[in-house]
Amino acid sequence: MLQTAERGASTSKNGPHEKYLEAFRIMLQTRIFEEKLASLYRGGLITGGVYIGRGQEAVSVACGIFLQEGDVFAPLIRDQAGRSAFGEPLVDVARTYLGSRSGPMRGRDGNIHRGCPKTGQLAMISHLGAMVSVVVGKLLAKRMKGEKGFVGLTTIGEGGMQTGATHEGMNIAAVERVPLVMVATNNHYAYSTPNDRQFACADLVDRAKGYGYEGSSVDGTDLAQCLEVIGAAVQRARAGRPPQLVVASTLRLAGHGEHDDASYVSDDIRREPFAQDSLQLAEQLILEQELMDREALQQMRAELAAEVDEAVATAQQEDTPVGSEEDWCAVATRSLVDQPALAE
Amino acid sequence: MSVTYLEAIREAQAKLLREDDRVFIYGQDIAGKFGGAFKATKGLAEQFPGRVLNTPISEDAMVGTAIGAAMEGMRPIVEMQFADFSSIALNQILNNAGTQYWRTQTPCPITVRLPSGGTKGSGPFHSQSMEGIYSHYPGLVVLTPATVEDAYTMLIDAVAIDDPVIYCEHKYLYYHLKADALPTEKLPIGKARIVRPGRDLSIVTNSAMVHEALAVAQQFSADGVEIEVVDLRSVKPLDTDTVLASVARTGRLLCVGEAFPWGGVTAEVIARVATEGFHLLDAAPARINAKDTPIPYHPNLWSEHRPNAKTIAAKVRQVLSE
């Protein structure tokens, strides 16, 4: 097992991770954006669900920030920070949530089920673990085509770790020896179900050995540690080491979705160290280590809020899809549409 | 020289591997000298190193991997060891492959080969015909070749199609069907074929049941009854026009399918004829499928479970008598 970094160790000894402030900015943007989405949802302006990553921004941003062009990223439900770090434009998120016909999903799919495969960001389906083997296939194909130096990263939760698809996907990645990084965030609730009804092993990271992965653990509330541990895992995968499993510990600081008040989360668990807010902790560290002052932080916050408002305003002004203009064609080969009359 | 249905499938794959660098085959026990449970890939791994790959027993991940590779520009062929085991991969096929183009405008050109249908002694888990299930879901093309020629050309076409294709190859036909040579001509995907012209009744069917239907038609011909047999070839898209034209000629319709009776291909064909060609019918349309039980192991039971020449003939008489 690889070593687990101590809280804040990388920042106190050697100064902050070179990507610390960049990552913090994305985390803060994510928080402001997701609060905006939640408020639009409460105002009845978003149809369907809103699923936010509050409390998981540090892990998520670290998942996206080390990926490059040519890499593959298969994010899940709480990965706004990682998606933004990977380069997803905010306006596309707003478009998907608000159902703009100009967005990447054009109203055909919504909220977190979005992606842009040609940029390497896959569009998740709801069935957990299903994206793992899809990433494996992308990586296998890249190798067959002679590409080099690429990695794939996918995320999962402690609930999603228990599906058959996750097991099959993790195993086939190791069999194919593709450069996969799997980041599993144990946020202690899979919807409403706590850990003791999800798994019975001592620690999910112990599974790494069983799959032929290299495993590491990370405190998901500590941005410095997330950058260090996930960054190192990405680097190892890129260098040709076996697939990497990183298990992060956090508490989901929101409901499963904004429809859920999370009243099942116990008070005891809210007092656990892993229940701390990674964004607040990062902000404290920034002030303590004088990486930025309060004024600069305030300035950053205002700039980010303006970016978010602009993205939302743009999406709100765009047209929504219209059934009569939809082509109702699920196949790429037009000549193979069954019952063309029904598509009209 | 003669070519079996199975050899046609192998030859099609050899041609695809030879002519298209994007093609690779992914499945259980298909590589090495073994060449697959039915030998559909025998010799190919040696001939095309690194492109015929054994997988773990992970149907879900096999298809998921193929989906990822297809989205990255490859043309993977997945061999399921038996169609029945593709139930493990249903999620990937229906929800990932079937929705991909619609959701992201990214084509997902995978071909999933399903060794389908019953043979003696194969029992509940090695005999299923699953074309109806796959056809129910959007975004998939579903093919059921019934001849050596179609086995060859439709597999080559399947790989060329920019959409996920479920290619149902019938295990009974593997060794029982022979042609003189590989075909040089083909019908396009999506077109049904009139395998036998007739004027008194249309049997619309697919896959191995085409041959049962032909045997029955032969039998009735001796008594002066001419049955037209329509081989659907492609279940999705379904060639409604050819079916309606046949019914227009005969006025009577019997659909025969090896799959279970609830819903499925036969029900769909009858629904389309009843809604679009009701005026063409001189008698109520009929259908015959397997029985609504799991597929039995013992040959005595199995031969009664699926439609056979006797039960098809009885249904023909019933429809003709109306």
Side-chain angles (χ1 to χ4, degrees), chain B residues 32-73:
Chain B
K33 291 201 186 310
F34 189 67
F38 296 100
K39 311 300 171 203
T41 56
K42 191 154 180 69
L44 297 182
E46 289 139 317
Q47 219 180 323
F48 303 98
R51 295 173 63 200
V52 181
L53 302 172
N54 273 344
T55 65
I57 306 175
S58 300
E59 286 80 6
D60 181 289
M62 283 156 58
V63 174
T65 301
I67 290 169
M71 289 169 68
E72 191 63 38

mmCIF file of all heavy atoms in Angstrom, chain B residues 32-73:
data_model
loop_
_atom_site.group_PDB
_atom_site.id
_atom_site.type_symbol
_atom_site.label_atom_id
_atom_site.label_comp_id
_atom_site.label_asym_id
_atom_site.label_seq_id
_atom_site.Cartn_x
_atom_site.Cartn_y
_atom_site.Cartn_z
ATOM 1 N N GLY B 32 -5.990 -17.629 -29.257
ATOM 2 C CA GLY B 32 -5.133 -18.808 -29.218
ATOM 3 C C GLY B 32 -5.554 -19.836 -30.242
ATOM 4 O O GLY B 32 -6.203 -19.534 -31.241
ATOM 5 N N LYS B 33 -5.176 -21.063 -29.986
ATOM 6 C CA LYS B 33 -5.538 -22.139 -30.912
ATOM 7 C C LYS B 33 -6.991 -22.540 -30.753
ATOM 8 O O LYS B 33 -7.577 -23.185 -31.607
ATOM 9 C CB LYS B 33 -4.646 -23.364 -30.655
ATOM 10 C CG LYS B 33 -3.196 -23.148 -31.038
ATOM 11 C CD LYS B 33 -2.501 -24.492 -31.255
ATOM 12 C CE LYS B 33 -1.013 -24.322 -31.497
ATOM 13 N NZ LYS B 33 -0.705 -23.324 -32.538
ATOM 14 N N PHE B 34 -7.580 -22.174 -29.590
ATOM 15 C CA PHE B 34 -8.925 -22.644 -29.267
ATOM 16 C C PHE B 34 -9.966 -22.073 -30.235
ATOM 17 O O PHE B 34 -10.768 -22.806 -30.799
ATOM 18 C CB PHE B 34 -9.260 -22.281 -27.818
ATOM 19 C CG PHE B 34 -10.535 -22.914 -27.333
ATOM 20 C CD1 PHE B 34 -10.622 -24.284 -27.172
ATOM 21 C CD2 PHE B 34 -11.650 -22.136 -27.052
ATOM 22 C CE1 PHE B 34 -11.803 -24.873 -26.729
ATOM 23 C CE2 PHE B 34 -12.825 -22.709 -26.614
ATOM 24 C CZ PHE B 34 -12.907 -24.075 -26.452
ATOM 25 N N GLY B 35 -9.951 -20.745 -30.402
ATOM 26 C CA GLY B 35 -10.792 -20.135 -31.440
ATOM 27 C C GLY B 35 -12.277 -20.065 -31.139
ATOM 28 O O GLY B 35 -13.096 -20.024 -32.048
ATOM 29 N N GLY B 36 -12.631 -20.040 -29.855
ATOM 30 C CA GLY B 36 -14.032 -19.831 -29.495
ATOM 31 C C GLY B 36 -14.787 -21.116 -29.251
ATOM 32 O O GLY B 36 -14.445 -22.174 -29.768
ATOM 33 N N ALA B 37 -15.846 -21.009 -28.447
ATOM 34 C CA ALA B 37 -16.647 -22.182 -28.080
ATOM 35 C C ALA B 37 -17.198 -22.877 -29.325
ATOM 36 O O ALA B 37 -17.363 -24.084 -29.356
ATOM 37 C CB ALA B 37 -17.783 -21.762 -27.152
ATOM 38 N N PHE B 38 -17.483 -22.083 -30.372
ATOM 39 C CA PHE B 38 -18.009 -22.662 -31.613
ATOM 40 C C PHE B 38 -17.007 -22.579 -32.771
ATOM 41 O O PHE B 38 -17.349 -22.842 -33.906
ATOM 42 C CB PHE B 38 -19.331 -21.974 -31.998
ATOM 43 C CG PHE B 38 -20.408 -22.204 -30.990
ATOM 44 C CD1 PHE B 38 -20.712 -21.236 -30.048
ATOM 45 C CD2 PHE B 38 -21.090 -23.407 -30.945
ATOM 46 C CE1 PHE B 38 -21.692 -21.451 -29.101
ATOM 47 C CE2 PHE B 38 -22.077 -23.637 -30.008
ATOM 48 C CZ PHE B 38 -22.379 -22.659 -29.062
ATOM 49 N N LYS B 39 -15.793 -22.096 -32.442
ATOM 50 C CA LYS B 39 -14.709 -21.994 -33.442
ATOM 51 C C LYS B 39 -14.983 -20.921 -34.501
ATOM 52 O O LYS B 39 -14.492 -21.026 -35.630
ATOM 53 C CB LYS B 39 -14.463 -23.350 -34.153
ATOM 54 C CG LYS B 39 -14.327 -24.536 -33.205
ATOM 55 C CD LYS B 39 -13.178 -24.337 -32.253
ATOM 56 C CE LYS B 39 -13.174 -25.394 -31.160
ATOM 57 N NZ LYS B 39 -12.444 -24.951 -29.965
ATOM 58 N N ALA B 40 -15.752 -19.934 -34.111
ATOM 59 C CA ALA B 40 -16.058 -18.866 -35.081
ATOM 60 C C ALA B 40 -14.852 -17.967 -35.322
ATOM 61 O O ALA B 40 -14.856 -17.163 -36.259
ATOM 62 C CB ALA B 40 -17.244 -18.033 -34.599
ATOM 63 N N THR B 41 -13.836 -18.072 -34.472
ATOM 64 C CA THR B 41 -12.640 -17.236 -34.667
ATOM 65 C C THR B 41 -11.393 -18.109 -34.834
ATOM 66 O O THR B 41 -10.273 -17.624 -34.671
ATOM 67 C CB THR B 41 -12.430 -16.283 -33.474
ATOM 68 O OG1 THR B 41 -12.350 -17.068 -32.271
ATOM 69 C CG2 THR B 41 -13.561 -15.288 -33.340
ATOM 70 N N LYS B 42 -11.598 -19.375 -35.139
ATOM 71 C CA LYS B 42 -10.451 -20.288 -35.211
ATOM 72 C C LYS B 42 -9.416 -19.804 -36.228
ATOM 73 O O LYS B 42 -9.727 -19.481 -37.366
ATOM 74 C CB LYS B 42 -10.918 -21.691 -35.584
ATOM 75 C CG LYS B 42 -9.809 -22.721 -35.395
ATOM 76 C CD LYS B 42 -10.389 -24.102 -35.143
ATOM 77 C CE LYS B 42 -9.288 -25.127 -34.951
ATOM 78 N NZ LYS B 42 -8.537 -24.938 -33.707
ATOM 79 N N GLY B 43 -8.177 -19.734 -35.772
ATOM 80 C CA GLY B 43 -7.084 -19.325 -36.654
ATOM 81 C C GLY B 43 -6.893 -17.811 -36.750
ATOM 82 O O GLY B 43 -5.856 -17.339 -37.208
ATOM 83 N N LEU B 44 -7.883 -17.051 -36.321
ATOM 84 C CA LEU B 44 -7.819 -15.596 -36.531
ATOM 85 C C LEU B 44 -6.794 -14.927 -35.617
ATOM 86 O O LEU B 44 -6.117 -13.984 -36.022
ATOM 87 C CB LEU B 44 -9.202 -14.961 -36.347
ATOM 88 C CG LEU B 44 -10.280 -15.416 -37.344
ATOM 89 C CD1 LEU B 44 -11.600 -14.677 -37.080
ATOM 90 C CD2 LEU B 44 -9.829 -15.169 -38.781
ATOM 91 N N ALA B 45 -6.681 -15.428 -34.381
ATOM 92 C CA ALA B 45 -5.725 -14.808 -33.455
ATOM 93 C C ALA B 45 -4.302 -14.963 -33.979
ATOM 94 O O ALA B 45 -3.481 -14.056 -33.871
ATOM 95 C CB ALA B 45 -5.867 -15.425 -32.068
ATOM 96 N N GLU B 46 -4.029 -16.130 -34.568
ATOM 97 C CA GLU B 46 -2.678 -16.357 -35.098
ATOM 98 C C GLU B 46 -2.426 -15.494 -36.336
ATOM 99 O O GLU B 46 -1.353 -14.958 -36.532
ATOM 100 C CB GLU B 46 -2.492 -17.837 -35.452
ATOM 101 C CG GLU B 46 -2.398 -18.711 -34.202
ATOM 102 C CD GLU B 46 -3.162 -20.006 -34.328
ATOM 103 O OE1 GLU B 46 -4.299 -19.980 -34.847
ATOM 104 O OE2 GLU B 46 -2.635 -21.044 -33.891
ATOM 105 N N GLN B 47 -3.469 -15.359 -37.128
ATOM 106 C CA GLN B 47 -3.347 -14.589 -38.357
ATOM 107 C C GLN B 47 -3.286 -13.078 -38.103
ATOM 108 O O GLN B 47 -2.647 -12.351 -38.854
ATOM 109 C CB GLN B 47 -4.579 -14.906 -39.209
ATOM 110 C CG GLN B 47 -4.307 -15.027 -40.685
ATOM 111 C CD GLN B 47 -5.621 -15.343 -41.394
ATOM 112 O OE1 GLN B 47 -6.475 -16.083 -40.894
ATOM 113 N NE2 GLN B 47 -5.796 -14.769 -42.581
ATOM 114 N N PHE B 48 -3.958 -12.650 -37.039
ATOM 115 C CA PHE B 48 -4.036 -11.211 -36.753
ATOM 116 C C PHE B 48 -3.628 -10.957 -35.301
ATOM 117 O O PHE B 48 -4.482 -10.717 -34.443
ATOM 118 C CB PHE B 48 -5.453 -10.688 -37.022
ATOM 119 C CG PHE B 48 -5.936 -10.937 -38.417
ATOM 120 C CD1 PHE B 48 -6.764 -12.027 -38.698
ATOM 121 C CD2 PHE B 48 -5.532 -10.117 -39.470
ATOM 122 C CE1 PHE B 48 -7.206 -12.274 -39.991
ATOM 123 C CE2 PHE B 48 -5.963 -10.362 -40.764
ATOM 124 C CZ PHE B 48 -6.799 -11.442 -41.040
ATOM 125 N N PRO B 49 -2.335 -11.000 -35.017
ATOM 126 C CA PRO B 49 -1.885 -10.906 -33.625
ATOM 127 C C PRO B 49 -2.332 -9.606 -32.966
ATOM 128 O O PRO B 49 -2.291 -8.545 -33.591
ATOM 129 C CB PRO B 49 -0.350 -10.939 -33.752
ATOM 130 C CG PRO B 49 -0.051 -11.421 -35.129
ATOM 131 C CD PRO B 49 -1.236 -11.118 -35.979
ATOM 132 N N GLY B 50 -2.778 -9.742 -31.721
ATOM 133 C CA GLY B 50 -3.183 -8.563 -30.946
ATOM 134 C C GLY B 50 -4.559 -8.033 -31.287
ATOM 135 O O GLY B 50 -4.999 -7.025 -30.727
ATOM 136 N N ARG B 51 -5.267 -8.702 -32.199
ATOM 137 C CA ARG B 51 -6.571 -8.157 -32.604
ATOM 138 C C ARG B 51 -7.723 -9.120 -32.346
ATOM 139 O O ARG B 51 -8.886 -8.826 -32.664
ATOM 140 C CB ARG B 51 -6.519 -7.749 -34.078
ATOM 141 C CG ARG B 51 -5.518 -6.601 -34.264
ATOM 142 C CD ARG B 51 -5.303 -6.275 -35.696
ATOM 143 N NE ARG B 51 -6.527 -5.802 -36.330
ATOM 144 C CZ ARG B 51 -6.729 -5.809 -37.646
ATOM 145 N NH1 ARG B 51 -5.810 -6.292 -38.459
ATOM 146 N NH2 ARG B 51 -7.853 -5.349 -38.152
ATOM 147 N N VAL B 52 -7.412 -10.271 -31.800
ATOM 148 C CA VAL B 52 -8.456 -11.206 -31.364
ATOM 149 C C VAL B 52 -8.120 -11.491 -29.911
ATOM 150 O O VAL B 52 -7.162 -12.208 -29.614
ATOM 151 C CB VAL B 52 -8.459 -12.486 -32.215
ATOM 152 C CG1 VAL B 52 -9.565 -13.429 -31.759
ATOM 153 C CG2 VAL B 52 -8.619 -12.147 -33.698
ATOM 154 N N LEU B 53 -8.884 -10.873 -29.006
ATOM 155 C CA LEU B 53 -8.451 -10.833 -27.605
ATOM 156 C C LEU B 53 -9.404 -11.588 -26.694
ATOM 157 O O LEU B 53 -10.618 -11.345 -26.708
ATOM 158 C CB LEU B 53 -8.369 -9.366 -27.145
ATOM 159 C CG LEU B 53 -7.424 -8.466 -27.960
ATOM 160 C CD1 LEU B 53 -7.593 -7.005 -27.534
ATOM 161 C CD2 LEU B 53 -5.975 -8.896 -27.777
ATOM 162 N N ASN B 54 -8.835 -12.463 -25.889
ATOM 163 C CA ASN B 54 -9.619 -13.122 -24.850
ATOM 164 C C ASN B 54 -9.955 -12.135 -23.749
ATOM 165 O O ASN B 54 -9.135 -11.296 -23.379
ATOM 166 C CB ASN B 54 -8.810 -14.264 -24.232
ATOM 167 C CG ASN B 54 -8.973 -15.555 -25.008
ATOM 168 O OD1 ASN B 54 -9.887 -15.700 -25.816
ATOM 169 N ND2 ASN B 54 -8.092 -16.505 -24.754
ATOM 170 N N THR B 55 -11.142 -12.289 -23.200
ATOM 171 C CA THR B 55 -11.562 -11.422 -22.093
ATOM 172 C C THR B 55 -11.845 -12.269 -20.857
ATOM 173 O O THR B 55 -12.085 -13.468 -20.967
ATOM 174 C CB THR B 55 -12.868 -10.687 -22.430
ATOM 175 O OG1 THR B 55 -13.904 -11.673 -22.545
ATOM 176 C CG2 THR B 55 -12.756 -9.912 -23.723
ATOM 177 N N PRO B 56 -11.859 -11.625 -19.700
ATOM 178 C CA PRO B 56 -12.384 -12.323 -18.520
ATOM 179 C C PRO B 56 -13.883 -12.608 -18.704
ATOM 180 O O PRO B 56 -14.513 -12.063 -19.618
ATOM 181 C CB PRO B 56 -12.158 -11.337 -17.375
ATOM 182 C CG PRO B 56 -11.692 -10.065 -17.962
ATOM 183 C CD PRO B 56 -11.432 -10.255 -19.416
ATOM 184 N N ILE B 57 -14.436 -13.430 -17.841
ATOM 185 C CA ILE B 57 -15.876 -13.735 -17.916
ATOM 186 C C ILE B 57 -16.622 -12.529 -17.352
ATOM 187 O O ILE B 57 -17.041 -12.521 -16.197
ATOM 188 C CB ILE B 57 -16.219 -15.028 -17.150
ATOM 189 C CG1 ILE B 57 -15.335 -16.162 -17.659
ATOM 190 C CG2 ILE B 57 -17.699 -15.380 -17.326
ATOM 191 C CD1 ILE B 57 -15.504 -17.461 -16.901
ATOM 192 N N SER B 58 -16.738 -11.526 -18.156
ATOM 193 C CA SER B 58 -17.267 -10.226 -17.718
ATOM 194 C C SER B 58 -18.046 -9.618 -18.877
ATOM 195 O O SER B 58 -17.558 -8.717 -19.548
ATOM 196 C CB SER B 58 -16.114 -9.287 -17.340
ATOM 197 O OG SER B 58 -15.337 -9.808 -16.291
ATOM 198 N N GLU B 59 -19.260 -10.104 -19.088
ATOM 199 C CA GLU B 59 -20.012 -9.648 -20.265
ATOM 200 C C GLU B 59 -20.256 -8.146 -20.219
ATOM 201 O O GLU B 59 -20.201 -7.461 -21.244
ATOM 202 C CB GLU B 59 -21.343 -10.405 -20.385
ATOM 203 C CG GLU B 59 -21.211 -11.848 -20.870
ATOM 204 C CD GLU B 59 -20.796 -12.825 -19.771
ATOM 205 O OE1 GLU B 59 -20.720 -12.410 -18.587
ATOM 206 O OE2 GLU B 59 -20.567 -14.013 -20.084
ATOM 207 N N ASP B 60 -20.554 -7.631 -19.034
ATOM 208 C CA ASP B 60 -20.796 -6.192 -18.909
ATOM 209 C C ASP B 60 -19.551 -5.416 -19.330
ATOM 210 O O ASP B 60 -19.620 -4.490 -20.146
ATOM 211 C CB ASP B 60 -21.186 -5.885 -17.450
ATOM 212 C CG ASP B 60 -21.485 -4.412 -17.233
ATOM 213 O OD1 ASP B 60 -20.540 -3.601 -17.270
ATOM 214 O OD2 ASP B 60 -22.658 -4.062 -17.000
ATOM 215 N N ALA B 61 -18.407 -5.798 -18.792
ATOM 216 C CA ALA B 61 -17.177 -5.056 -19.098
ATOM 217 C C ALA B 61 -16.717 -5.292 -20.533
ATOM 218 O O ALA B 61 -16.105 -4.410 -21.147
ATOM 219 C CB ALA B 61 -16.077 -5.445 -18.112
ATOM 220 N N MET B 62 -17.006 -6.476 -21.089
ATOM 221 C CA MET B 62 -16.657 -6.710 -22.498
ATOM 222 C C MET B 62 -17.353 -5.694 -23.395
ATOM 223 O O MET B 62 -16.744 -5.078 -24.269
ATOM 224 C CB MET B 62 -17.108 -8.118 -22.928
ATOM 225 C CG MET B 62 -16.227 -9.246 -22.445
ATOM 226 S SD MET B 62 -17.138 -10.822 -22.366
ATOM 227 C CE MET B 62 -17.717 -11.024 -24.043
ATOM 228 N N VAL B 63 -18.644 -5.511 -23.158
ATOM 229 C CA VAL B 63 -19.396 -4.573 -24.001
ATOM 230 C C VAL B 63 -19.014 -3.135 -23.655
ATOM 231 O O VAL B 63 -18.846 -2.298 -24.555
ATOM 232 C CB VAL B 63 -20.919 -4.803 -23.872
ATOM 233 C CG1 VAL B 63 -21.692 -3.742 -24.629
ATOM 234 C CG2 VAL B 63 -21.275 -6.186 -24.403
ATOM 235 N N GLY B 64 -18.836 -2.841 -22.370
ATOM 236 C CA GLY B 64 -18.416 -1.490 -21.985
ATOM 237 C C GLY B 64 -17.097 -1.123 -22.648
ATOM 238 O O GLY B 64 -16.924 -0.010 -23.169
ATOM 239 N N THR B 65 -16.173 -2.054 -22.657
ATOM 240 C CA THR B 65 -14.873 -1.807 -23.284
ATOM 241 C C THR B 65 -15.041 -1.581 -24.788
ATOM 242 O O THR B 65 -14.433 -0.687 -25.368
ATOM 243 C CB THR B 65 -13.928 -2.995 -23.011
ATOM 244 O OG1 THR B 65 -13.790 -3.142 -21.582
ATOM 245 C CG2 THR B 65 -12.552 -2.767 -23.603
ATOM 246 N N ALA B 66 -15.888 -2.378 -25.398
ATOM 247 C CA ALA B 66 -16.142 -2.208 -26.832
ATOM 248 C C ALA B 66 -16.760 -0.833 -27.110
ATOM 249 O O ALA B 66 -16.398 -0.166 -28.084
ATOM 250 C CB ALA B 66 -17.057 -3.318 -27.339
ATOM 251 N N ILE B 67 -17.660 -0.413 -26.243
ATOM 252 C CA ILE B 67 -18.294 0.905 -26.418
ATOM 253 C C ILE B 67 -17.227 2.007 -26.389
ATOM 254 O O ILE B 67 -17.194 2.889 -27.250
ATOM 255 C CB ILE B 67 -19.359 1.148 -25.319
ATOM 256 C CG1 ILE B 67 -20.561 0.229 -25.532
ATOM 257 C CG2 ILE B 67 -19.794 2.613 -25.286
ATOM 258 C CD1 ILE B 67 -21.541 0.202 -24.352
ATOM 259 N N GLY B 68 -16.360 1.940 -25.382
ATOM 260 C CA GLY B 68 -15.302 2.950 -25.275
ATOM 261 C C GLY B 68 -14.408 2.942 -26.496
ATOM 262 O O GLY B 68 -14.062 3.995 -27.048
ATOM 263 N N ALA B 69 -14.045 1.755 -26.942
ATOM 264 C CA ALA B 69 -13.159 1.642 -28.104
ATOM 265 C C ALA B 69 -13.852 2.174 -29.362
ATOM 266 O O ALA B 69 -13.243 2.854 -30.188
ATOM 267 C CB ALA B 69 -12.734 0.195 -28.300
ATOM 268 N N ALA B 70 -15.150 1.872 -29.496
ATOM 269 C CA ALA B 70 -15.896 2.343 -30.669
ATOM 270 C C ALA B 70 -15.988 3.864 -30.668
ATOM 271 O O ALA B 70 -15.847 4.505 -31.708
ATOM 272 C CB ALA B 70 -17.300 1.728 -30.673
ATOM 273 N N MET B 71 -16.203 4.443 -29.500
ATOM 274 C CA MET B 71 -16.288 5.903 -29.415
ATOM 275 C C MET B 71 -14.932 6.544 -29.721
ATOM 276 O O MET B 71 -14.851 7.719 -30.053
ATOM 277 C CB MET B 71 -16.775 6.312 -28.023
ATOM 278 C CG MET B 71 -18.241 5.975 -27.799
ATOM 279 S SD MET B 71 -18.720 6.175 -26.082
ATOM 280 C CE MET B 71 -18.605 7.955 -25.911
ATOM 281 N N GLU B 72 -13.890 5.755 -29.587
ATOM 282 C CA GLU B 72 -12.537 6.240 -29.872
ATOM 283 C C GLU B 72 -12.148 5.941 -31.329
ATOM 284 O O GLU B 72 -11.004 6.138 -31.723
ATOM 285 C CB GLU B 72 -11.586 5.568 -28.867
ATOM 286 C CG GLU B 72 -10.184 6.106 -28.791
ATOM 287 C CD GLU B 72 -10.062 7.558 -28.339
ATOM 288 O OE1 GLU B 72 -10.822 7.980 -27.449
ATOM 289 O OE2 GLU B 72 -9.194 8.260 -28.879
ATOM 290 N N GLY B 73 -13.088 5.420 -32.109
ATOM 291 C CA GLY B 73 -12.820 5.261 -33.540
ATOM 292 C C GLY B 73 -12.590 3.834 -34.007
ATOM 293 O O GLY B 73 -12.389 3.593 -35.191
#
